[in-house]
Structure formats: structure tokens, C-alpha cells
Short mmCIF file of all heavy atoms in Angstrom, two decimals:
data_model
loop_
_atom_site.label_atom_id
_atom_site.label_comp_id
_atom_site.label_asym_id
_atom_site.label_seq_id
_atom_site.Cartn_x
_atom_site.Cartn_y
_atom_site.Cartn_z
N GLY W 1 24.84 0.46 -2.44
CA GLY W 1 24.97 1.53 -3.41
C GLY W 1 23.58 2.16 -3.77
O GLY W 1 22.50 1.49 -3.57
N ALA W 2 23.59 3.30 -4.32
CA ALA W 2 22.40 4.09 -4.62
C ALA W 2 21.53 3.42 -5.72
O ALA W 2 20.30 3.42 -5.76
CB ALA W 2 22.72 5.56 -4.96
N ARG W 3 22.19 2.88 -6.77
CA ARG W 3 21.47 2.45 -8.01
C ARG W 3 20.52 1.19 -7.60
O ARG W 3 19.39 1.24 -8.03
CB ARG W 3 22.51 2.07 -9.03
CG ARG W 3 21.73 1.66 -10.35
CD ARG W 3 22.79 1.48 -11.50
NE ARG W 3 22.11 1.20 -12.76
CZ ARG W 3 21.75 -0.11 -13.14
NH1 ARG W 3 22.02 -1.07 -12.26
NH2 ARG W 3 21.12 -0.25 -14.34
N PRO W 4 20.99 0.18 -6.93
CA PRO W 4 20.06 -0.91 -6.53
C PRO W 4 18.99 -0.46 -5.70
O PRO W 4 17.80 -1.05 -5.85
CB PRO W 4 20.93 -1.92 -5.90
CG PRO W 4 22.44 -1.55 -6.29
CD PRO W 4 22.35 -0.08 -6.53
N ILE W 5 19.21 0.47 -4.85
CA ILE W 5 18.09 1.02 -3.94
C ILE W 5 17.07 1.76 -4.76
O ILE W 5 15.80 1.51 -4.67
CB ILE W 5 18.63 1.91 -2.81
CG1 ILE W 5 19.53 1.12 -1.90
CG2 ILE W 5 17.56 2.63 -2.11
CD1 ILE W 5 20.27 1.91 -0.84
N ARG W 6 17.45 2.52 -5.71
CA ARG W 6 16.54 3.27 -6.58
C ARG W 6 15.77 2.27 -7.44
O ARG W 6 14.58 2.47 -7.67
CB ARG W 6 17.29 4.23 -7.48
CG ARG W 6 17.83 5.48 -6.76
CD ARG W 6 18.20 6.53 -7.65
NE ARG W 6 18.78 7.75 -6.98
CZ ARG W 6 20.09 8.08 -6.95
NH1 ARG W 6 21.03 7.30 -7.49
NH2 ARG W 6 20.42 9.17 -6.28
N LEU W 7 16.41 1.29 -8.02
CA LEU W 7 15.86 0.33 -8.87
C LEU W 7 14.70 -0.44 -8.02
O LEU W 7 13.54 -0.51 -8.52
CB LEU W 7 16.81 -0.71 -9.35
CG LEU W 7 16.25 -1.91 -10.17
CD1 LEU W 7 15.60 -1.36 -11.43
CD2 LEU W 7 17.50 -2.82 -10.60
N ALA W 8 15.06 -0.85 -6.91
CA ALA W 8 14.10 -1.70 -6.09
C ALA W 8 12.85 -0.76 -5.72
O ALA W 8 11.80 -1.15 -5.65
CB ALA W 8 14.74 -2.24 -4.78
N TRP W 9 13.05 0.58 -5.43
CA TRP W 9 12.12 1.48 -4.93
C TRP W 9 11.11 1.66 -6.12
O TRP W 9 9.95 1.62 -5.92
CB TRP W 9 12.62 2.73 -4.58
CG TRP W 9 11.69 3.82 -4.20
CD1 TRP W 9 11.35 4.89 -4.96
CD2 TRP W 9 10.68 3.85 -3.12
NE1 TRP W 9 10.28 5.64 -4.38
CE2 TRP W 9 9.92 4.96 -3.31
CE3 TRP W 9 10.53 3.04 -2.01
CZ2 TRP W 9 8.91 5.35 -2.30
CZ3 TRP W 9 9.58 3.35 -1.11
CH2 TRP W 9 8.78 4.45 -1.22
N PHE W 10 11.51 2.12 -7.29
CA PHE W 10 10.67 2.45 -8.38
C PHE W 10 10.02 1.21 -9.08
O PHE W 10 8.93 1.28 -9.50
CB PHE W 10 11.42 3.22 -9.46
CG PHE W 10 11.73 4.64 -8.99
CD1 PHE W 10 13.02 5.06 -8.71
CD2 PHE W 10 10.68 5.56 -8.88
CE1 PHE W 10 13.21 6.40 -8.44
CE2 PHE W 10 10.84 6.79 -8.43
CZ PHE W 10 12.22 7.31 -8.19
N ALA W 11 10.73 0.07 -9.05
CA ALA W 11 10.20 -1.14 -9.76
C ALA W 11 9.26 -1.93 -8.95
O ALA W 11 8.26 -2.51 -9.41
CB ALA W 11 11.33 -2.01 -10.20
N VAL W 12 9.41 -1.90 -7.64
CA VAL W 12 8.67 -2.86 -6.74
C VAL W 12 8.03 -2.11 -5.61
O VAL W 12 6.77 -2.14 -5.43
CB VAL W 12 9.60 -3.99 -6.26
CG1 VAL W 12 8.81 -4.84 -5.30
CG2 VAL W 12 10.17 -4.76 -7.34
N VAL W 13 8.75 -1.39 -4.76
CA VAL W 13 8.29 -0.97 -3.45
C VAL W 13 7.21 0.12 -3.68
O VAL W 13 6.12 0.10 -3.05
CB VAL W 13 9.45 -0.44 -2.61
CG1 VAL W 13 8.92 -0.03 -1.15
CG2 VAL W 13 10.49 -1.50 -2.42
N LEU W 14 7.54 1.21 -4.33
CA LEU W 14 6.61 2.30 -4.56
C LEU W 14 5.23 1.84 -5.11
O LEU W 14 4.20 2.25 -4.62
CB LEU W 14 7.26 3.39 -5.35
CG LEU W 14 6.36 4.65 -5.66
CD1 LEU W 14 5.89 5.29 -4.38
CD2 LEU W 14 7.11 5.69 -6.58
N PRO W 15 5.21 1.21 -6.30
CA PRO W 15 3.98 0.74 -6.80
C PRO W 15 3.13 -0.12 -5.77
O PRO W 15 1.88 0.05 -5.69
CB PRO W 15 4.33 -0.06 -8.05
CG PRO W 15 5.69 0.41 -8.46
CD PRO W 15 6.32 0.74 -7.23
N ALA W 16 3.86 -1.07 -5.15
CA ALA W 16 3.09 -1.89 -4.19
C ALA W 16 2.51 -1.23 -3.03
O ALA W 16 1.40 -1.44 -2.67
CB ALA W 16 4.00 -3.01 -3.74
N LEU W 17 3.15 -0.21 -2.60
CA LEU W 17 2.70 0.57 -1.42
C LEU W 17 1.50 1.37 -1.81
O LEU W 17 0.47 1.52 -1.08
CB LEU W 17 3.85 1.44 -0.83
CG LEU W 17 4.92 0.85 -0.11
CD1 LEU W 17 6.00 1.79 0.36
CD2 LEU W 17 4.44 0.11 1.17
N VAL W 18 1.64 2.05 -2.89
CA VAL W 18 0.49 2.93 -3.50
C VAL W 18 -0.69 2.13 -3.61
O VAL W 18 -1.82 2.51 -3.26
CB VAL W 18 0.95 3.71 -4.66
CG1 VAL W 18 -0.30 4.48 -5.29
CG2 VAL W 18 1.99 4.70 -4.37
N LEU W 19 -0.58 0.99 -4.40
CA LEU W 19 -1.67 0.09 -4.66
C LEU W 19 -2.43 -0.35 -3.34
O LEU W 19 -3.59 -0.38 -3.25
CB LEU W 19 -1.28 -1.02 -5.48
CG LEU W 19 -1.00 -0.75 -6.97
CD1 LEU W 19 -0.36 -1.89 -7.66
CD2 LEU W 19 -2.18 -0.19 -7.71
N ASN W 20 -1.56 -0.70 -2.32
CA ASN W 20 -2.17 -1.27 -1.08
C ASN W 20 -2.85 -0.16 -0.34
O ASN W 20 -4.00 -0.37 0.19
CB ASN W 20 -1.04 -1.82 -0.31
CG ASN W 20 -1.52 -2.66 0.91
OD1 ASN W 20 -1.74 -2.08 2.00
ND2 ASN W 20 -1.87 -3.93 0.65
N TYR W 21 -2.34 1.01 -0.24
CA TYR W 21 -2.96 2.12 0.51
C TYR W 21 -4.22 2.52 -0.19
O TYR W 21 -5.25 2.88 0.45
CB TYR W 21 -2.02 3.32 0.70
CG TYR W 21 -0.97 3.08 1.74
CD1 TYR W 21 0.40 3.24 1.44
CD2 TYR W 21 -1.36 2.70 3.06
CE1 TYR W 21 1.35 2.98 2.40
CE2 TYR W 21 -0.39 2.48 3.97
CZ TYR W 21 0.94 2.64 3.76
OH TYR W 21 1.90 2.43 4.61
N LEU W 22 -4.21 2.60 -1.59
CA LEU W 22 -5.47 2.96 -2.26
C LEU W 22 -6.50 1.88 -1.98
O LEU W 22 -7.70 2.19 -1.80
CB LEU W 22 -5.11 3.02 -3.77
CG LEU W 22 -4.46 4.23 -4.28
CD1 LEU W 22 -4.05 4.16 -5.71
CD2 LEU W 22 -5.27 5.52 -3.98
N GLY W 23 -6.08 0.59 -2.07
CA GLY W 23 -7.06 -0.49 -1.68
C GLY W 23 -7.63 -0.39 -0.41
O GLY W 23 -8.95 -0.57 -0.19
N GLN W 24 -6.76 -0.14 0.66
CA GLN W 24 -7.32 0.07 2.05
C GLN W 24 -8.30 1.24 2.07
O GLN W 24 -9.34 1.16 2.77
CB GLN W 24 -6.16 0.33 3.00
CG GLN W 24 -5.22 -0.94 3.27
CD GLN W 24 -4.35 -0.71 4.42
OE1 GLN W 24 -4.76 -0.24 5.53
NE2 GLN W 24 -3.07 -1.15 4.26
N GLY W 25 -7.94 2.39 1.46
CA GLY W 25 -8.89 3.57 1.42
C GLY W 25 -10.14 3.22 0.74
O GLY W 25 -11.25 3.63 1.28
N ALA W 26 -10.15 2.42 -0.37
CA ALA W 26 -11.36 2.18 -1.03
C ALA W 26 -12.30 1.22 -0.14
O ALA W 26 -13.52 1.39 -0.11
CB ALA W 26 -11.07 1.42 -2.39
N MET W 27 -11.71 0.23 0.56
CA MET W 27 -12.46 -0.62 1.37
C MET W 27 -13.07 0.13 2.51
O MET W 27 -14.19 0.00 2.90
CB MET W 27 -11.50 -1.71 1.89
CG MET W 27 -12.23 -2.80 2.77
SD MET W 27 -11.14 -4.00 3.37
CE MET W 27 -10.05 -2.99 4.42
N ILE W 28 -12.23 1.04 3.20
CA ILE W 28 -12.74 1.75 4.32
C ILE W 28 -13.88 2.68 4.04
O ILE W 28 -14.94 2.86 4.67
CB ILE W 28 -11.59 2.58 5.05
CG1 ILE W 28 -10.59 1.65 5.63
CG2 ILE W 28 -12.16 3.61 6.13
CD1 ILE W 28 -9.32 2.34 6.18
N LEU W 29 -13.80 3.29 2.77
CA LEU W 29 -14.74 4.20 2.31
C LEU W 29 -16.10 3.57 2.13
O LEU W 29 -17.17 4.13 2.49
CB LEU W 29 -14.25 4.87 1.07
CG LEU W 29 -15.10 6.03 0.51
CD1 LEU W 29 -15.06 7.19 1.45
CD2 LEU W 29 -14.56 6.54 -0.77
N HIS W 30 -16.12 2.28 1.63
CA HIS W 30 -17.40 1.60 1.37
C HIS W 30 -17.74 0.64 2.45
O HIS W 30 -18.85 0.11 2.38
CB HIS W 30 -17.28 1.00 -0.06
CG HIS W 30 -17.24 1.93 -1.14
ND1 HIS W 30 -16.09 2.55 -1.57
CD2 HIS W 30 -18.16 2.50 -1.86
CE1 HIS W 30 -16.44 3.44 -2.49
NE2 HIS W 30 -17.71 3.41 -2.71
N SER W 31 -16.84 0.26 3.33
CA SER W 31 -17.14 -0.58 4.46
C SER W 31 -16.46 0.02 5.70
O SER W 31 -15.43 -0.43 6.16
CB SER W 31 -16.63 -1.97 4.10
OG SER W 31 -17.23 -2.56 2.96
N PRO W 32 -17.09 1.05 6.34
CA PRO W 32 -16.39 1.76 7.36
C PRO W 32 -16.05 0.83 8.55
O PRO W 32 -15.03 1.15 9.26
CB PRO W 32 -17.54 2.77 7.85
CG PRO W 32 -18.39 2.97 6.58
CD PRO W 32 -18.28 1.64 5.94
N GLU W 33 -16.80 -0.24 8.74
CA GLU W 33 -16.49 -1.16 9.89
C GLU W 33 -15.07 -1.74 9.76
O GLU W 33 -14.50 -2.35 10.73
CB GLU W 33 -17.57 -2.17 10.09
CG GLU W 33 -17.61 -3.27 8.99
CD GLU W 33 -18.31 -2.85 7.74
OE1 GLU W 33 -18.72 -1.56 7.65
OE2 GLU W 33 -18.43 -3.66 6.83
N THR W 34 -14.49 -1.85 8.59
CA THR W 34 -13.28 -2.47 8.34
C THR W 34 -12.00 -1.61 8.79
O THR W 34 -10.81 -2.07 8.76
CB THR W 34 -12.96 -2.83 6.87
OG1 THR W 34 -12.99 -1.63 6.13
CG2 THR W 34 -14.08 -3.77 6.41
N SER W 35 -12.29 -0.34 9.27
CA SER W 35 -11.23 0.51 9.66
C SER W 35 -10.51 0.15 10.94
O SER W 35 -9.44 0.62 11.19
CB SER W 35 -11.72 2.00 9.86
OG SER W 35 -12.71 1.99 10.94
N ASP W 36 -11.07 -0.87 11.67
CA ASP W 36 -10.39 -1.29 12.88
C ASP W 36 -9.15 -2.18 12.49
O ASP W 36 -8.20 -2.16 13.37
CB ASP W 36 -11.38 -2.16 13.74
CG ASP W 36 -11.79 -3.48 13.05
OD1 ASP W 36 -11.76 -3.49 11.79
OD2 ASP W 36 -12.14 -4.41 13.67
N ASN W 37 -9.16 -2.82 11.41
CA ASN W 37 -7.95 -3.60 10.98
C ASN W 37 -8.00 -3.75 9.49
O ASN W 37 -8.14 -4.75 8.91
CB ASN W 37 -7.94 -4.92 11.62
CG ASN W 37 -6.59 -5.55 11.59
OD1 ASN W 37 -5.71 -5.30 10.76
ND2 ASN W 37 -6.23 -6.39 12.58
N PRO W 38 -7.82 -2.63 8.83
CA PRO W 38 -8.05 -2.67 7.32
C PRO W 38 -7.09 -3.57 6.52
O PRO W 38 -7.54 -4.16 5.46
CB PRO W 38 -7.84 -1.22 6.87
CG PRO W 38 -7.00 -0.53 8.03
CD PRO W 38 -7.39 -1.31 9.19
N PHE W 39 -5.80 -3.79 6.92
CA PHE W 39 -4.97 -4.55 6.20
C PHE W 39 -5.40 -6.00 6.08
O PHE W 39 -5.57 -6.56 5.01
CB PHE W 39 -3.51 -4.49 6.75
CG PHE W 39 -2.55 -5.30 6.01
CD1 PHE W 39 -2.01 -4.85 4.87
CD2 PHE W 39 -2.19 -6.64 6.47
CE1 PHE W 39 -1.06 -5.60 4.13
CE2 PHE W 39 -1.31 -7.38 5.70
CZ PHE W 39 -0.76 -6.92 4.57
N PHE W 40 -5.65 -6.60 7.21
CA PHE W 40 -6.03 -8.06 7.20
C PHE W 40 -7.50 -8.23 6.65
O PHE W 40 -7.81 -9.37 6.21
CB PHE W 40 -5.87 -8.70 8.58
CG PHE W 40 -4.47 -8.96 9.03
CD1 PHE W 40 -3.82 -8.15 9.97
CD2 PHE W 40 -3.70 -9.97 8.47
CE1 PHE W 40 -2.54 -8.37 10.33
CE2 PHE W 40 -2.48 -10.15 8.82
CZ PHE W 40 -1.80 -9.35 9.75
N ARG W 41 -8.30 -7.17 6.82
CA ARG W 41 -9.70 -7.36 6.32
C ARG W 41 -9.76 -7.28 4.81
O ARG W 41 -10.74 -7.57 4.16
CB ARG W 41 -10.63 -6.30 6.86
CG ARG W 41 -10.88 -6.59 8.33
CD ARG W 41 -11.88 -5.55 8.96
NE ARG W 41 -12.18 -5.80 10.30
CZ ARG W 41 -13.23 -6.57 10.72
NH1 ARG W 41 -13.95 -7.21 9.77
NH2 ARG W 41 -13.46 -6.80 11.94
#
């Protein structure tokens, strides 16, 4: 159903994804060598 999907997206998935991508961007910007594997670094 649509309601549980919307709830999970706004409460958990969207905030987690945005925070992670912002964190990867901040790390790459100040440590360019981490761009080869930013997630695990």
C-alpha cells in the first residue's frame, strides 16, 4: 500500500540518503584522494 511506503520514505530513507551523500561530498571536497571509494572511506 502507498501509506507505509510514504511513511518509510520520509521518516527513514530520504533523510539517511541525503545525510550520506552530503557526508561523501564533504569528505571528497577536503580529501580528494577518497573519491576512489568514498563510501567505505
Side-chain angles (χ1 to χ4, degrees):
R3 188 174 180 276
I5 292 175
R6 289 193 177 106
L7 175 64
W9 174 254
F10 286 111
V12 178
V13 182
L14 178 60
L17 290 176
V18 172
L19 289 172
N20 192 268
Y21 285 125
L22 286 173
Q24 289 192 45
M27 183 185 64
I28 292 171
L29 191 61
H30 291 85
S31 302
E33 70 279 2
T34 61
S35 63
D36 63 336
N37 198 333
F39 180 81
F40 286 106
R41 288 184 178 273

